[in-house]
Amino acid sequence: MGKGDGRSRSDCVRPLDLQHGRVDLTHGSGGRAMVQLITEVFARHLGNAYLGQCNDGAVLPVPALAGKPGRLVVSTDCHVVSPLFFPGGDIGCLSVHGTVNDVAVMGATPLYLAAGFILEEGFALADLARIVESMAHAARAAGVPVVAGDTKVVERGKGDGVFITTTGVGVLPEGLQLGGNRARPGDAVLVSGCMGDHGVAIMSKRENLAFDAPIESDSAALHGLVAAMLATRSDIRCMRDPTRGGLAATLNELAAQSGVGMMLQEKAIPVKPIVAAACELLGLDPLYVANEGKLIAICAPADAGRLLAAMRAHPLGRDAAAIGEVTADSHHFVQLTTAFGGRRIVDWLTGDQLPRIC
């Protein structure tokens, strides 16, 4: 086509075949093919005014909270879940929810996300577009835009389809201080809902297991629930989302940080019957199974009832429960009173019972 026909170079590039096409090494080369992939897949779904600045970094406003300056909270997370698509979600929405939640449980309002994609040569463009669209939907629903990103392509066999790293930025109001070192003996331990849904959904998909009732991931953005909890002005010591290692690993981590112990009541820990049955079939303990839409809160005992009521009033906290209390223990043990009245230690995992879970 001649120079005088009025067309730009981009007009002469064949559109990506998003139905049958595959990622190839040119999509990560920094050339025209890479620009085309970014334009037709990433910018198409994730585009916004900040991402549209097209610079090496985005210039972003940091709003004050209630007219007062705040502090920035930053968190980053890598997502390598297998399979990429699972009941209730996929790696796209998971990469948004996981990082939004890491910012939110610090008490911060999530503002922005940045995303990095490592793609494997040969990965289906249709699957990539589906993942990015899911990611965009999750970001819009959360009100937290993706404002910067990067894409790399590795040779066939050197990756596993797609890995996504997301970094989140939020603003924390002055005067609010949450941290894993703030738990005190007598504090109440609360959870926002049923344990183990995400991990069992992943494992059932891997093993091609079918159950009478569907088991879906609980993947969700929790900052709305956190805001409702903070609005009660309860004395919340800390919050965490129990992802890898589940409830058990998270409480062991908090116990070690605060120099305390925990005493849990097995009967009080919410686990869906179908999830409990699946765990028994798979040889898993639901206390160690990952969650992606639940949080743990430790609060002053006097505020536990008020905080629990606020959690249950939110759609993502309907099944919230008080499951135990913080104890004085120089060994920092997390213990469990079983349904039969016995007692056992809920220790750290020595291995990984569910790899590639998030």
Side-chain angles (χ1 to χ4, degrees):
M1 197 169 291
K3 292 183 179 179
D5 62 2
R7 295 191 180 189
S8 68
R9 287 189 176 186
S10 60
D11 294 328
C12 303
V13 176
R14 178 182 299 173
L16 289 176
D17 183 352
L18 294 178
Q19 185 173 2
H20 304 292
R22 300 277 173 176
V23 171
D24 62 49
L25 292 176
T26 65
H27 289 126
S29 67
R32 187 178 299 167
M34 183 171 178
V35 172
Q36 185 181 19
L37 180 72
I38 292 170
T39 301
E40 296 186 27
V41 177
F42 296 108
R44 175 185 176 190
H45 296 295
L46 299 173
N48 55 69
Y50 304 118
L51 198 62
Q53 293 173 13
C54 298
N55 296 316
D56 282 349
V59 179
L60 309 168
V62 180
L65 296 180
K68 299 179 181 179
R71 294 158 291 162
L72 288 181
V73 171
V74 178
S75 181
T76 194
D77 205 355
C78 302
H79 304 273
V80 297
V81 65
S82 177
L84 298 174
F85 303 95
F86 47 83
D90 54 63
I91 193 172
C93 68
L94 182 68
S95 67
V96 171
H97 295 154
T99 298
V100 165
N101 293 346
D102 285 343
V103 172
V105 294
M106 292 297 297
T109 300
L111 298 176
Y112 309 110
L113 293 169
F117 297 82
I118 298 177
L119 309 176
E120 184 183 11
E121 179 187 15
F123 188 65
L125 288 174
D127 287 342
L128 178 61
R130 179 181 169 191
I131 288 167
V132 176
E133 187 172 5
S134 172
M135 191 174 183
H137 176 77
R140 284 194 297 269
V144 187
V146 177
V147 300
D150 187 41
T151 304
K152 296 291 188 297
V153 179
V154 298
E155 297 91 338
R156 190 184 303 267
K158 298 293 181 66
D160 193 9
V162 57
F163 299 145
I164 303 175
T165 296
T166 44
T167 297
V169 177
V171 62
L172 181 70
E174 293 292 344
L176 180 61
Q177 186 69 43
L178 304 179
N181 62 343
R182 299 186 69 248
R184 300 291 180 264
D187 285 349
V189 181
L190 313 180
V191 295
S192 64
C194 297
M195 296 288 101
D197 293 2
H198 175 73
V200 172
I202 295 290
M203 184 54 71
S204 63
K205 178 69 173 179
R206 285 182 192 169
E207 302 298 329
N208 293 315
L209 298 176
F211 299 95
D212 291 339
I215 300 176
E216 294 189 346
S217 170
D218 58 348
S219 184
L222 295 171
H223 54 311
L225 172 61
V226 170
M229 295 168 66
L230 293 176
T232 68
R233 300 189 179 276
S234 300
D235 187 359
I236 303 173
R237 315 291 199 199
C238 60
M239 291 185 281
R240 288 284 170 86
D241 54 334
T243 53
R244 283 175 297 175
L247 179 69
T250 305
L251 290 182
N252 272 282
E253 182 179 340
L254 293 174
Q257 284 184 264
S258 291
V260 297
M262 309 269 183
M263 180 60 70
L264 310 179
Q265 304 298 321
E266 185 176 36
K267 288 183 178 180
I269 300 173
V271 179
K272 293 176 182 175
I274 188 66
V275 170
C279 283
E280 185 174 356
L281 176 66
L282 295 166
L284 303 174
D285 185 336
L287 300 186
Y288 293 88
V289 177
N291 311 271
E292 288 292 347
K294 304 297 189 321
L295 62 78
I296 299 167
I298 296 179
C299 71
D303 292 332
R306 177 173 54 184
L307 189 59
L308 193 60
M311 295 167 73
R312 288 174 173 168
H314 191 277
L316 294 179
R318 289 189 301 265
D319 298 316
I323 64 168
E325 67 175 349
V326 178
T327 61
D329 184 352
S330 60
H331 299 292
H332 313 155
F333 288 151
V334 177
Q335 301 183 66
L336 178 77
T337 299
T338 69
F340 299 103
R343 184 176 293 181
R344 70 179 177 93
I345 292 177
V346 181
D347 206 354
W348 293 91
L349 277 174
T350 55
D352 191 352
Q353 69 169 358
L354 271 181
R356 302 285 301 279
I357 205 69
C358 60

